[in-house]
Amino acid sequence: MRKIVIGVMGPGERATINDLQNAYKLGELIAQQGWILLTGGRNIGVMDAANKGAKSLDGLTLGILPSSKEDGISEAVDIAIFTDMGNARNNINVLSSNVVIACGMGAGTASEIALALKENKPVILLTDDKESKNFFKKLSPENVYIVESALDAIATVQEYLA
Amino acid sequence: MRKIVIGVMGPGERATINDLQNAYKLGELIAQQGWILLTGGRNIGVMDAANKGAKSLDGLTLGILPSSKEDGISEAVDIAIFTDMGNARNNINVLSSNVVIACGMGAGTASEIALALKENKPVILLTDDKESKNFFKKLSPENVYIVESALDAIATVQEYLA
Amino acid sequence: MRKIVIGVMGPGERATINDLQNAYKLGELIAQQGWILLTGGRNIGVMDAANKGAKSLDGLTLGILPSSKEDGISEAVDIAIFTDMGNARNNINVLSSNVVIACGMGAGTASEIALALKENKPVILLTDDKESKNFFKKLSPENVYIVESALDAIATVQEYLA
Amino acid sequence: MRKIVIGVMGPGERATINDLQNAYKLGELIAQQGWILLTGGRNIGVMDAANKGAKSLDGLTLGILPSSKEDGISEAVDIAIFTDMGNARNNINVLSSNVVIACGMGAGTASEIALALKENKPVILLTDDKESKNFFKKLSPENVYIVESALDAIATVQEYLA
């Protein structure tokens, strides 16, 4: 009965418009596949956009919050896990995702990618940032997948799960 | 869209037959209410029984695992959160539950009750153990509810949520 | 080269005068033995009193903080570990202590005792609370030691370590 | 009375000889300054080498372990903090260090650097890896310091603390 959980990680405050569009699209596509969307659960940036995309197509959304309280949680989160662990919850995000999709880049996102790679989880990078691609691809050539669009990201997840 | 999450906590290896029957019944009743069942997610004791009860009536089950791996997870868990935090995950269990129901007693369960009370969460005690009732009722008279059956426990949750 | 670490756990805001006197005395005695004192590190209650006692006799003090920031830390903490994990850090407190001494009672303290017993750590109870003694002694007869004074607590630690 | 804590982070199994030499030297220099050395505490790689360097000059060493057990701990750790949190303990490592020195590179080390930058902690990079330097310097130009030797790293810490 175990459900497939796909994590979408990305910047909060510093997300670009492109990141937000990709995140919304990823949320839609994940919902369409019948997968559960996992994010960091906050009402900002990539987290919020991905959750809204998933809910627009009746997906189920799981938010792993850094706090213990309702404040700052995305309205599009169905199930909230309150960790009260700050950024240490990033490790739970990646451990609980079958595949991690990084949408955009920032310090928090970088920590999630690195923690995922430490656990040999597959990570799909959807970013324009050249230094990110070079760094993570060198860090773990076998587990990092570089893609150019949300559609490519989902196709890569499908291949991996198959 | 946020869903109501009810935590059922109780012993693993040392659960009594009575604990297991209560846990299964609690799982059924929680599913009937349309609430999500949260447990520690292991394939043993109260956790496993509650999950099986919930799945028997098509409930949705959330398991907050102490480990990072598939081993030892209840087959009746739909959504697995892998914390890799051992018993420190007990704090996440209680923070993420609207109400905590303790079904039976043991050291892990006692830690969950105490952590819930520390956060001013309501805790419903379903146990025959007299020393447990005396201790926790004195520790937090306002947040501890003592009940005699799974049905009573659910009625108490309903009153609290209303 | 590994040093012996003795944990002193007890209430913050709700500590009684008796708890504070016992905590200060425990800090002194732990320092005299050349052991390291571990507490929850806050500038209040049993934590603060134990740290001050230890520093009065040049002991070394380790504070495992619930927060990520300097605010609220005891001035008598030498080495601060910032967990940013709230009460989930209680599990680290007990795992990192060779022996746990509970001085007084409260919800947080109860969680630490229960987490210690879950890990088969010895716990020394120094409290007047009858319900606490009955509950924890029944929960783990072999690992709970009930004492009447700070001196008795330290003698019990010495026996255990020997 | 609060002591200054300097974190040295780096690869375990995959440390290069150069990383190990730098780590040993960092341990020595940190001990000479009277600072406390914080590492991930394992008996391997940069962690072990740094601890041994510090102990060779009578420094005090603090190991933040991923496990709950003695196995795999560096013999040169004086004070062991057992987190039982796996790689989520990486966040505690950086939060508890006044300054983080990354010595070499790997997925775990990258997660520590990223978590430190997320918290606006200064990070000193001592590595030959060009992609690492480009990535982290772009991620946080103001908090990343690139150095060429253990001596440079310590000089940078001194400037920062001054």
Side-chain angles (χ1 to χ4, degrees):
Chain A
M1 304 167 190
R2 279 283 297 292
K3 296 189 190 304
I4 291 171
V5 176
I6 306 299
V8 174
M9 317 289 158
E13 288 78 1
R14 298 188 186 180
T16 66
I17 291 188
N18 198 32
D19 294 339
L20 297 176
Q21 288 173 337
N22 282 332
Y24 191 91
K25 188 72 184 165
L26 285 167
E28 287 183 322
L29 295 166
I30 286 168
Q32 276 183 333
Q33 297 291 329
W35 300 330
I36 293 180
L37 172 67
L38 180 153
T39 69
R42 295 173 60 216
N43 60 358
I44 197 165
V46 162
M47 295 172 271
D48 197 46
N51 282 310
K52 285 178 175 159
K55 291 311 299 177
S56 75
L57 295 181
D58 274 333
L60 187 66
T61 56
L62 190 57
I64 313 289
L65 279 297
S67 67
S68 64
K69 298 271 189 306
E70 292 293 321
D71 316 354
I73 181 169
S74 169
E75 287 180 10
V77 163
D78 292 316
I79 303 176
I81 304 295
F82 293 100
T83 67
D84 199 18
M85 286 172 64
N87 294 309
R89 72 84 155 78
N90 293 0
N91 199 44
I92 299 178
N93 294 358
V94 302
L95 291 172
S96 304
S97 300
N98 293 67
V99 179
V100 170
I101 304 174
C103 176
M105 189 54 58
T109 308
S111 75
E112 286 165 319
I113 299 170
L115 288 165
L117 297 176
K118 180 75 178 166
E119 298 281 343
N120 289 311
K121 286 265 175 187
V123 175
I124 297 170
L125 282 191
L126 177 52
T127 172
D128 290 335
D129 187 63
K130 189 179 153 193
E131 286 80 7
S132 298
K133 296 181 200 178
N134 290 342
F135 174 66
F136 286 114
K137 193 68 188 172
K138 183 173 180 188
L139 193 62
S140 182
E142 69 280 14
N143 284 321
V144 170
Y145 301 82
I146 293 174
V147 299
E148 302 298 325
S149 69
L151 274 169
D152 281 355
I154 298 303
T156 305
V157 176
Q158 286 175 316
E159 279 176 44
Y160 174 80
L161 295 176
Chain B
M1 304 166 190
R2 278 283 297 293
K3 296 186 190 303
I4 291 172
V5 176
I6 306 299
V8 174
M9 317 288 160
E13 288 78 0
R14 298 185 187 184
T16 65
I17 291 187
N18 198 33
D19 294 340
L20 297 177
Q21 287 174 339
N22 282 332
Y24 191 92
K25 187 73 184 165
L26 285 167
E28 287 182 322
L29 294 167
I30 286 168
Q32 275 182 334
Q33 297 291 330
W35 300 331
I36 293 180
L37 172 67
L38 180 153
T39 69
R42 295 172 60 215
N43 60 357
I44 197 165
V46 162
M47 295 171 270
D48 195 46
N51 282 310
K52 284 178 175 160
K55 290 312 297 177
S56 75
L57 296 180
D58 274 334
L60 187 65
T61 57
L62 190 57
I64 313 290
L65 279 298
S67 66
S68 64
K69 298 271 187 306
E70 292 292 323
D71 314 356
I73 181 169
S74 170
E75 286 180 11
V77 163
D78 292 318
I79 304 175
I81 305 296
F82 293 100
T83 67
D84 200 19
M85 288 173 64
N87 295 308
R89 71 87 155 76
N90 293 359
N91 200 45
I92 298 177
N93 294 357
V94 302
L95 290 171
S96 304
S97 299
N98 293 68
V99 179
V100 170
I101 303 175
C103 176
M105 189 54 57
T109 309
S111 76
E112 285 164 321
I113 299 170
L115 289 164
L117 297 176
K118 179 75 178 167
E119 297 281 343
N120 290 312
K121 285 266 174 186
V123 176
I124 298 172
L125 283 190
L126 176 53
T127 173
D128 290 334
D129 187 63
K130 190 179 151 192
E131 286 79 7
S132 297
K133 296 181 200 177
N134 290 343
F135 174 66
F136 286 114
K137 193 68 189 172
K138 182 172 179 186
L139 194 62
S140 182
E142 68 281 16
N143 282 323
V144 170
Y145 301 82
I146 293 174
V147 298
E148 302 297 327
S149 70
L151 274 169
D152 281 356
I154 298 304
T156 305
V157 176
Q158 286 175 317
E159 278 176 45
Y160 174 81
L161 296 177
Chain C
M1 304 163 189
R2 278 282 298 292
K3 297 190 189 301
I4 291 171
V5 175
I6 306 299
V8 174
M9 316 290 158
E13 288 78 0
R14 297 185 187 183
T16 66
I17 292 187
N18 199 31
D19 294 339
L20 298 176
Q21 288 173 337
N22 281 333
Y24 191 92
K25 186 73 183 168
L26 285 167
E28 288 182 322
L29 294 167
I30 287 168
Q32 276 182 333
Q33 296 292 329
W35 299 329
I36 293 181
L37 172 67
L38 180 153
T39 70
R42 296 174 57 217
N43 60 358
I44 197 165
V46 161
M47 295 171 271
D48 196 48
N51 282 311
K52 285 177 174 160
K55 292 313 299 178
S56 75
L57 295 181
D58 274 334
L60 187 66
T61 58
L62 189 56
I64 313 289
L65 279 297
S67 66
S68 64
K69 298 273 187 306
E70 292 293 322
D71 315 354
I73 182 169
S74 169
E75 287 180 10
V77 162
D78 292 317
I79 304 176
I81 305 295
F82 294 100
T83 68
D84 199 19
M85 287 173 62
N87 294 309
R89 71 88 153 76
N90 293 0
N91 200 44
I92 299 178
N93 294 358
V94 302
L95 291 172
S96 305
S97 299
N98 292 68
V99 179
V100 170
I101 303 174
C103 176
M105 189 55 57
T109 309
S111 76
E112 285 164 319
I113 299 170
L115 289 165
L117 297 176
K118 180 74 178 168
E119 298 280 343
N120 289 312
K121 285 267 174 184
V123 175
I124 297 171
L125 283 191
L126 176 53
T127 172
D128 290 334
D129 187 62
K130 190 178 151 193
E131 287 79 8
S132 297
K133 296 180 198 176
N134 290 343
F135 174 67
F136 286 114
K137 193 68 189 174
K138 182 173 179 188
L139 194 63
S140 184
E142 67 282 16
N143 283 322
V144 170
Y145 301 82
I146 294 175
V147 299
E148 302 297 327
S149 70
L151 273 169
D152 281 356
I154 298 304
T156 304
V157 176
Q158 286 174 316
E159 278 176 44
Y160 174 82
L161 295 176
Chain D
M1 302 165 192
R2 278 283 297 293
K3 297 188 189 302
I4 290 170
V5 175
I6 306 300
V8 174
M9 316 290 159
E13 288 78 358
R14 298 187 186 180
T16 65
I17 292 188
N18 198 32
D19 294 338
L20 297 176
Q21 287 173 339
N22 282 332
Y24 191 92
K25 187 72 183 168
L26 285 167
E28 287 182 322
L29 294 167
I30 286 168
Q32 276 182 335
Q33 296 291 330
W35 299 330
I36 292 180
L37 171 67
L38 180 152
T39 69
R42 294 174 61 215
N43 59 358
I44 197 165
V46 162
M47 296 172 269
D48 196 48
N51 282 310
K52 284 178 176 159
K55 291 312 298 177
S56 75
L57 295 180
D58 273 334
L60 186 66
T61 56
L62 189 56
I64 313 290
L65 279 297
S67 67
S68 64
K69 298 272 187 309
E70 291 293 323
D71 314 355
I73 182 169
S74 169
E75 287 181 10
V77 163
D78 291 318
I79 303 175
I81 304 296
F82 293 100
T83 67
D84 200 18
M85 287 172 63
N87 294 310
R89 70 87 153 77
N90 293 0
N91 200 44
I92 299 178
N93 294 358
V94 301
L95 291 172
S96 304
S97 299
N98 293 68
V99 179
V100 170
I101 304 174
C103 175
M105 188 55 57
T109 308
S111 75
E112 286 164 319
I113 299 170
L115 289 164
L117 297 176
K118 180 77 178 163
E119 298 279 344
N120 289 312
K121 287 265 174 185
V123 175
I124 297 170
L125 282 191
L126 176 54
T127 172
D128 290 335
D129 187 63
K130 190 179 153 194
E131 286 80 6
S132 298
K133 296 181 200 178
N134 290 343
F135 174 66
F136 286 114
K137 193 67 188 172
K138 183 173 180 187
L139 194 62
S140 183
E142 68 281 15
N143 283 322
V144 170
Y145 301 82
I146 293 174
V147 299
E148 302 297 327
S149 70
L151 273 169
D152 280 355
I154 298 303
T156 305
V157 177
Q158 286 174 317
E159 278 176 45
Y160 174 80
L161 296 176

